[in-house]
Amino acid sequence: MISPKRSADELPGDPRRLNLEYRTWHFVGSAGDENGFDEWHVSVRSGRSAEIGSMKLFRLRMDERFSPFPFSDAQAYDTGLSNLVLGVYDLGRGGYRQEFRDAMTSCDGDLLVLFDIRLDPAWRGFGLGPVLAAEAVWTLADGCCAVLAATHPTEFPDAPMGEAAYRRAAEKIAALWKDVGFRWRACPLGHLLDPRSGEARDLRNERRGDLDA
């Protein structure tokens, strides 16, 4: 169970009223089958009020209709995202790296990337981040062989981080991923969650128990 850093008395609202809103889109056209790269925006809301947080995830469809289009889309979107994906995929050989295959229960399925998560300061410190991330991951991971997580903190142009602050933020993010069920694998793989493992499913149920607590 996660140990919150703040008392529940400080919560700005009832966490039982938190809900997630999922949005995605794609272009309609004759080349629609080439779009194997889905971008998901997940809004965190307290009841019907304004957004109090958000997550960004990407799904790369891994079958002969789409490959290698997802990777060119990832590269066009963000270099960091492309590097993250290429840590598990070998473009030269046209498939997942052997290290990735050895780490996963099965490599039959799509790849989901949890790229970014944000929560308003008033809601931080209660252990809600892993709860929300786990719900989003398990909602979108159906049919995926693995979930990959980024570890970079988001830097805002008007408030850039120094090296020490950036390192501390990265350590916090890595701890959050561990509570969700991600496990660090040697480079170039990074943080991976195996949705077919019993441990990952058990951790999702533990996070739901944290919310009840």
Side-chain angles (χ1 to χ4, degrees):
M1 179 175 178
I2 294 173
S3 299
K5 296 179 176 61
R6 299 171 64 183
S7 168
D9 296 336
E10 300 178 68
L11 278 163
D14 188 344
R16 293 171 298 184
R17 292 178 55 81
L18 293 179
N19 60 85
L20 302 180
E21 179 183 281
Y22 297 81
R23 302 190 306 277
T24 191
W25 53 87
H26 71 275
F27 294 103
V28 178
S30 59
D33 277 353
E34 296 180 358
N35 183 18
F37 178 88
D38 298 340
E39 179 179 348
W40 286 90
H41 287 257
V42 183
S43 295
V44 183
R45 300 184 183 278
S46 178
R48 298 181 179 273
S49 66
E51 183 179 275
I52 63 166
S54 64
M55 287 172 273
K56 186 181 295 183
L57 301 95
F58 299 93
R59 181 168 181 150
L60 287 83
R61 301 189 179 280
M62 304 296 296
D63 65 45
E64 61 184 10
R65 293 178 299 156
F66 301 121
S67 184
F69 292 104
F71 301 98
S72 60
D73 286 343
Q75 186 174 23
Y77 181 90
D78 182 90
T79 301
L81 176 63
S82 176
N83 291 338
L84 194 66
V85 172
L86 290 177
V88 303
Y89 191 85
D90 186 347
L91 277 181
R93 296 179 179 272
Y96 287 124
R97 296 180 184 275
Q98 187 59 48
E99 303 98 313
F100 177 80
R101 295 179 178 277
D102 292 341
M104 295 292 101
T105 302
S106 170
C107 289
D108 182 18
D110 298 341
L111 182 67
L112 184 68
V113 179
L114 177 53
F115 191 67
D116 183 61
I117 180 169
R118 178 191 64 81
L119 196 61
D120 287 355
W123 288 87
R124 297 176 191 170
F126 303 102
L128 292 172
V131 174
L132 298 169
E135 287 299 317
V137 162
W138 284 95
T139 297
L140 297 176
D142 186 38
C144 292
C145 68
V147 188
L148 187 61
T151 56
H152 66 281
T154 301
E155 289 202 55
F156 296 96
D158 58 344
M161 294 181 184
E163 182 178 348
Y166 188 93
R167 185 171 57 252
R168 288 194 299 271
E171 290 172 353
K172 289 181 181 179
I173 292 173
L176 184 155
W177 294 158
K178 185 177 180 180
D179 289 332
V180 175
F182 291 93
R183 294 294 174 260
W184 173 256
R185 307 287 182 173
C187 290
L189 300 183
H191 282 92
L192 292 172
L193 183 151
D194 184 347
R196 294 181 172 92
S197 75
E199 180 194 30
R201 290 191 296 270
D202 290 343
L203 282 171
R204 177 191 51 174
N205 293 332
E206 285 184 22
R207 299 295 75 81
R208 286 178 168 178
D210 290 341
L211 181 64
D212 291 339

